[in-house]
């Protein structure tokens, strides 16, 4: 068996790194007043510590039992009850909700589509929400207020906006990876136009602190603007590539093998569109030098330009 050859990548920019984790593998800190956040360096959750109990926002399984440890640590220091009374789902995906079952019989809150999808998925680790809403819902517990809103599909069909107006904070999951590029295919997003619009929606809210659901630090408005520039550069580059790459050689070369012609053409357009973006953001956003990440994100945007917006479509004469 040969030696596994793994590629080398550049160092992660300091701006992308968060605080060190403790011996149990997590970091918990105050966002503002009685709002706290927890990270394992890859995933994030948040909670409000109130005189009437704890309201938890998402339950990523990678943090798992460390959520309980973080809550106990904070509530003991704040001299507040540590019982979790409510759990808010940002969306139905297991990587953000798969530790929900650890909190037993709490009131779970989520979008109506989250309830439908969790019923479909039938995962005992993610109990369906007890309370659902369609457009907006206000959570009020122990003097703390949180505004939940649904603005349509983006990363997933049910992904909501969680606004803490009294804590100057917005929680928006799986849209902006603070300090990092999105992983494959726009963070594996299902609705590309909705995903592209989501940061603009976020900036309409009043907030200073941003909880993205991923990686090791809180975000700022400047972080969201940097993400918007990265995505806008991909969109511009994709339009340029669609207008400049000639599909004829690929279809002429492969003849009856239509899918080979399609693959050759789309790969060429994608590579041409992604290359300048990879070069521009290497060293600026972490993992920008992992070509597959920007390339697959570019491919998703290209296909949305073609299929959702009709860009690059060629009508037979």
């Amino acid at each position: 068996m040969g030696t596994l050859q793994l590629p080398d990548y550049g160092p992660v920019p300091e701006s992308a790194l968060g605080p060190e984790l403790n011996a149990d593998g997590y970091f918990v800190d105050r966002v503002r007043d009685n709002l706290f956040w927890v990270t394992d360096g890859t995933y994030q959750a948040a909670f409000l510590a109130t005189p009437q109990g704890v309201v938890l926002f998402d339950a990523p399984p990678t943090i798992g039992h460390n959520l309980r440890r973080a809550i106990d640590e904070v509530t003991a220091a704040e001299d507040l009850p540590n019982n979790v009374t409510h759990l808010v789902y940002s969306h139905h995906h297991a990587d953000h909700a798969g530790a929900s079952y650890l909190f037993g019989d709490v009131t779970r809150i989520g979008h109506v589509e989250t309830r439908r999808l969790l019923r479909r998925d039938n995962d005992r680790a993610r109990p369906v929400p007890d309370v659902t809403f369609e457009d907006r819902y206000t959570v009020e517990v122990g003097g703390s207020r949180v505004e939940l809103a649904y603005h349509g599909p983006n990363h997933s069909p049910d992904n909501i906006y969680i606004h803490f107006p009294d804590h100057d904070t917005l929680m928006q999951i799986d849209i902006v990876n603070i300090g990092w590029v999105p992983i494959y295919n726009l963070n594996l997003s299902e609705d590309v136009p909705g995903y592209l619009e989501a940061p603009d929606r976020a900036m309409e809210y009043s907030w200073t602190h941003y909880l993205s659901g991923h990686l090791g630090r809180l975000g700022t408005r400047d972080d969201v603007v940097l993400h918007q520039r990265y995505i806008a550069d991909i969109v511009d580059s994709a339009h340029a590539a669609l207008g400049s790459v000639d599909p004829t050689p690929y279809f002429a070369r492969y003849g009856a093998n239509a899918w080979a012609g399609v693959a050759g053409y789309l790969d060429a357009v994608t590579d041409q569109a992604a290359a300048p973006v990879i070069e521009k953001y290497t060293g600026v956003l972490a993992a920008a030098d992992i070509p597959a990440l920007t390339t697959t994100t570019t491919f998703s945007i290209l296909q949305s330009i073609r299929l959702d917006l009709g860009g690059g479509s060629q009508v037979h004469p």
Side-chain angles (χ1 to χ4, degrees):
M1 181 180 295
T3 303
L4 181 62
Q5 298 294 317
L6 297 176
D8 293 321
Y9 298 111
V12 174
E14 288 292 327
S15 59
L17 297 174
E20 291 187 11
L21 308 181
N22 64 17
D24 287 319
Y26 71 90
F27 174 84
V28 61
D29 197 14
R30 190 187 310 273
V31 180
R32 179 170 172 175
D33 298 329
N34 64 326
L35 175 63
F36 297 83
W37 71 294
V38 190
T39 183
D40 61 358
T42 304
Y43 280 84
Q44 300 174 358
F47 62 91
L48 285 165
T50 85
Q52 294 179 9
V54 172
V55 183
L56 178 62
F57 299 87
D58 277 353
T62 66
I63 305 178
H65 289 278
N66 276 337
L67 287 169
R68 178 78 269 169
R69 296 184 183 98
I71 290 168
D72 290 347
E73 174 186 335
V74 165
T75 53
E78 299 289 311
D79 194 24
L80 290 168
N82 69 347
N83 57 306
V84 176
T85 61
H86 296 75
L87 196 164
V88 175
Y89 288 132
S90 65
H91 63 304
H92 73 288
H93 284 163
D95 63 329
H96 291 276
S100 174
Y101 75 99
L102 295 177
F103 297 94
D105 188 19
V106 303
T107 299
R108 292 174 172 84
I109 303 170
H111 191 257
V112 290
E113 187 71 357
T114 301
R115 178 173 59 187
R116 183 188 73 80
L117 291 165
L118 288 180
R119 283 177 172 169
R120 178 202 67 182
D121 296 346
N122 193 28
D123 179 4
R124 288 181 294 178
R126 294 174 287 156
V128 299
D130 311 284
V131 177
T132 61
F133 67 97
E134 292 187 357
D135 297 318
R136 296 183 182 276
Y137 185 82
T138 300
V139 181
E140 293 186 274
V141 177
S144 293
R145 174 173 61 103
V146 186
E147 301 291 346
L148 311 181
Y150 178 69
H151 297 299
N154 46 67
H155 164 70
S156 68
D158 59 326
N159 202 23
I160 65 171
Y161 296 64
I162 303 170
H163 187 217
F164 303 86
D166 301 327
H167 300 83
D168 201 18
T169 299
L170 181 71
M171 188 172 184
Q172 184 188 50
I173 304 302
D174 282 334
I175 302 297
V176 180
N177 294 344
I178 298 302
W180 298 69
V181 299
I183 63 164
Y184 298 92
N185 301 100
L186 285 173
N187 282 340
L188 306 177
S189 293
E190 299 177 51
D191 189 291
V192 174
Y195 176 95
L196 297 182
E197 179 190 30
D200 297 335
R201 286 272 191 179
M203 297 299 271
E204 293 171 0
Y205 282 84
S206 175
W207 55 270
T208 298
H209 312 290
Y210 183 92
L211 282 155
S212 67
H214 278 290
L215 301 160
R217 71 171 177 89
L218 292 175
T220 67
R221 298 184 80 88
D222 286 344
D223 288 313
V224 176
V225 170
L226 177 58
H227 168 89
Q228 289 175 303
R229 287 204 299 264
Y230 168 81
I231 294 296
D233 284 343
I234 293 176
V235 170
D236 290 345
S237 193
H239 278 291
L242 281 169
S244 62
V245 176
D246 181 6
T248 307
Y250 303 97
F251 291 96
R253 167 68 177 83
Y254 295 109
N257 191 344
W259 278 168
V262 169
Y265 168 63
L266 292 180
D267 284 350
V269 175
T270 302
D271 290 343
Q272 179 169 311
V277 180
I278 293 171
E279 181 178 1
K280 179 176 179 178
Y281 287 92
T282 294
V284 177
L285 288 172
D289 61 333
I290 302 175
L293 301 186
T294 296
T295 299
T296 57
T297 284
T298 301
F299 181 83
S300 291
I301 290 175
L302 273 166
Q303 299 323 304
S304 179
I305 291 171
R306 292 178 60 247
L307 304 177
D308 297 319
L309 305 180
S313 296
Q314 298 171 358
V315 178
H316 192 281

